[in-house]
Amino acid sequence: MYKKLSIVLIISLLCLSPIAAEDWDSFAGDLNHTAYRDDNSNFITNLWTFNMEDSIHSSPAIYKDYVFVVSSQGILKAINMETGEKEWDLDLGVQTNSSPIVHNNRLYIGCEDGLKAININNHKIIWEYDCDNVASTPFYYDDIIYFGSDDGHLYGLNTDGKVEFNKKLDGELKSSPIVVDDSIFIGSTNGKIYSIGTDKKKNWDFTTGDEILSTPSYINDSVVFGSNDGNFYSLNVSDGNLNWKVELNNTIISSPTVDSHDNSIYIGSDDGTLTCLDDRDGTVKWTFDTGDKVESTAALKGNLVAFGSDNGVFYVLNKYTGVEEFTYNPGTILFNSKISSSPVINGNSLFFGDDAGYLYSLNIDKNEVPSSTQMYYSIAVLIIVIIVAIFVIRKFKGRN
């Protein structure tokens, strides 16, 4: 009898595990911002491009066989990861730059007029919580959705949309929160990062020299984040004391991605670089220069780190050396659009958006990319230039 009960229990746990693993509970999917999910789908990676018809600033979310992405004008779309075709869409009715999260068939997203909860099955808004602009991406923890608002409040709502947590802080909370062991960490435009207990008591705050828009990450009992003062910080989570800081020469809007197995932190900066730091003392392991702002938060898969740049190029590097593995320029130089949206990865499939309003599906393992949507425009411009050049040359020769 006990043997039968044990078998039933094991089967039940095996059945429950994939469901829990599918949730996308935070910005970039987890505390480390790796933005990676193991491929548990029944399809191979395909290359495609999808036109969102407006700029994409937020990061997509992965759930089951779909990638969820919202345009800056507030049009939410569910796209089949295999085919690149739209399954359904929903007009949120207001602009948004927050990234969606997904938990148990519900999608939560911040907008200019507050937070919205959407039922993925019937594609309808379940409830809305009205407050000032929510650029902060929510964080799902212990059945509470935590997020910051431009009104300076750190909110926590239950799954019915009722307020369970409300803490007034200073400045605007555009940074996204993370929650570690019942402590919430969030940055503010007043230059401070706060540690607030889920019991609403303030643990500590730490002051930097400028706004904090970067979302903190967690590694080895430390909270790490960038500031617009150009410095990258590592603080002790228990007391907020400074472990170390590194100057990265310019504003840091990108959020850190951490690899605790390799003691590495990857962070972009407005000086145009992606930098790999040692989380133990801040030593720079390597730096890769793109020549333009790196606002995109990097994604990790195996020995690869992937991110976009405002120069319109998407990069995949070796995470240990910083050596370029391959690049993708969908704008073909002439029609470049900045890539501030952060990538996400499902198995071998990598997805990212750009300011031109396109979502792209790449095969990160085989270095395969879709054909550029702007290639035909570039060819047309080149043909026009050649025709004009021939006309000018002939006209000049005719005069002689």
Side-chain angles (χ1 to χ4, degrees):
M1 178 179 177
Y2 291 109
K3 186 176 181 181
K4 290 181 178 179
L5 286 173
S6 298
I7 293 172
V8 170
L9 179 61
I10 292 170
I11 293 172
S12 299
L13 289 172
L14 289 173
C15 291
L16 287 173
S17 296
I19 296 173
E22 287 183 342
D23 293 325
W24 194 267
D25 286 339
S26 70
F27 172 73
D30 56 32
L31 280 174
N32 297 331
H33 298 158
T34 56
Y36 174 76
R37 191 186 78 170
D38 285 328
D39 184 7
N40 57 5
S41 306
N42 296 318
F43 61 83
I44 60 172
T45 297
N46 288 320
L47 311 177
W48 49 257
T49 301
F50 182 87
N51 187 2
M52 287 288 291
E53 299 177 348
D54 197 22
S55 58
I56 303 170
H57 298 149
S58 64
S59 178
I62 293 171
Y63 187 70
K64 296 185 178 177
D65 289 340
Y66 304 98
V67 56
F68 295 88
V69 63
V70 62
S71 71
S72 59
Q73 291 301 312
I75 307 299
L76 170 69
K77 298 193 179 186
I79 301 167
N80 186 298
M81 285 195 290
E82 179 181 13
T83 64
E85 296 177 352
K86 181 187 73 176
E87 293 292 326
W88 57 269
D89 60 14
L90 177 66
D91 187 351
L92 300 176
V94 66
Q95 292 186 349
T96 179
N97 287 315
S98 172
S99 300
I101 65 168
V102 189
H103 187 95
N104 195 22
N105 288 314
R106 286 189 177 185
L107 183 147
Y108 303 95
I109 187 164
C111 301
E112 278 192 344
D113 59 357
L115 189 79
K116 300 181 191 297
I118 294 121
N119 186 314
I120 288 178
N121 294 326
N122 63 18
H123 322 152
K124 294 182 179 180
I125 295 175
I126 306 168
W127 52 258
E128 303 177 63
Y129 181 79
D130 294 334
C131 60
D132 281 356
N133 178 49
V134 178
S136 172
T137 296
F139 191 102
Y140 192 102
Y141 179 81
D142 199 17
D143 293 329
I144 302 294
I145 304 103
Y146 293 96
F147 62 96
S149 169
D150 282 6
D151 62 16
H153 286 258
L154 175 60
Y155 294 100
L157 310 182
N158 64 25
T159 54
D160 293 325
K162 296 180 180 178
V163 178
E164 299 288 346
F165 181 102
N166 187 348
K167 182 76 171 179
K168 179 68 171 72
L169 304 175
D170 294 326
E172 298 176 351
L173 304 181
K174 295 181 180 294
S175 169
S176 304
I178 62 169
V179 188
V180 183
D181 295 332
D182 294 332
S183 290
I184 310 161
F185 301 92
I186 190 168
S188 172
T189 57
N190 70 356
K192 290 184 177 182
I193 185 166
Y194 295 91
S195 172
I196 309 293
T198 53
D199 59 2
K200 304 179 187 176
K201 294 179 181 178
K202 186 172 80 169
N203 300 321
W204 51 259
D205 63 56
F206 180 91
T207 303
T208 71
D210 208 334
E211 296 182 335
I212 300 174
L213 305 177
S214 172
T215 294
S217 188
Y218 173 81
I219 181 171
N220 297 334
D221 296 321
S222 299
V223 59
V224 293
F225 62 96
S227 169
N228 283 12
D229 66 8
N231 290 305
F232 187 81
Y233 295 85
S234 172
L235 309 180
N236 185 296
V237 292
S238 61
D239 54 22
N241 287 336
L242 179 67
N243 296 324
W244 50 261
K245 71 175 181 178
V246 175
E247 184 178 350
L248 295 182
N249 305 316
N250 210 321
T251 299
I252 302 172
I253 295 176
S254 171
S255 300
T257 304
V258 302
D259 184 353
S260 57
H261 300 294
D262 191 44
N263 295 305
S264 293
I265 303 171
Y266 304 90
I267 184 68
S269 170
D270 280 10
D271 73 342
T273 61
L274 183 80
T275 301
C276 178
L277 303 169
D278 192 310
D279 85 274
R280 293 166 291 192
D281 56 12
T283 298
V284 176
K285 293 185 176 182
W286 54 258
T287 299
F288 183 88
D289 190 2
T290 71
D292 208 337
K293 296 178 182 179
V294 179
E295 300 174 298
S296 167
T297 297
L300 289 179
K301 181 186 186 300
N303 65 341
L304 302 175
V305 56
F307 65 100
S309 169
D310 281 11
N311 66 3
V313 179
F314 191 83
Y315 297 88
V316 177
L317 313 179
N318 182 295
K319 75 174 185 180
Y320 299 111
T321 63
V323 173
E324 184 181 296
E325 295 283 340
F326 74 96
T327 63
Y328 176 48
N329 181 0
T332 60
I333 301 176
L334 291 178
F335 298 95
N336 282 356
S337 293
K338 74 175 186 175
I339 303 171
S340 57
S341 170
S342 302
V344 298
I345 304 172
N346 179 73
N348 296 337
S349 300
L350 181 147
F351 309 96
F352 75 91
D354 65 9
D355 267 24
Y358 290 94
L359 184 73
Y360 305 92
S361 171
L362 286 61
N363 188 320
I364 190 172
D365 276 9
K366 295 184 178 180
N367 302 357
E368 295 176 343
V369 300
S371 58
S372 170
T373 57
Q374 310 295 339
M375 183 180 298
Y376 299 109
Y377 297 113
S378 298
I379 293 173
V381 170
L382 181 61
I383 291 172
I384 291 171
V385 169
I386 292 173
I387 291 173
V388 170
I390 293 173
F391 176 79
V392 170
I393 290 170
R394 285 182 176 178
K395 193 170 184 179
F396 179 78
K397 286 183 177 180
R399 289 179 178 178
N400 293 334

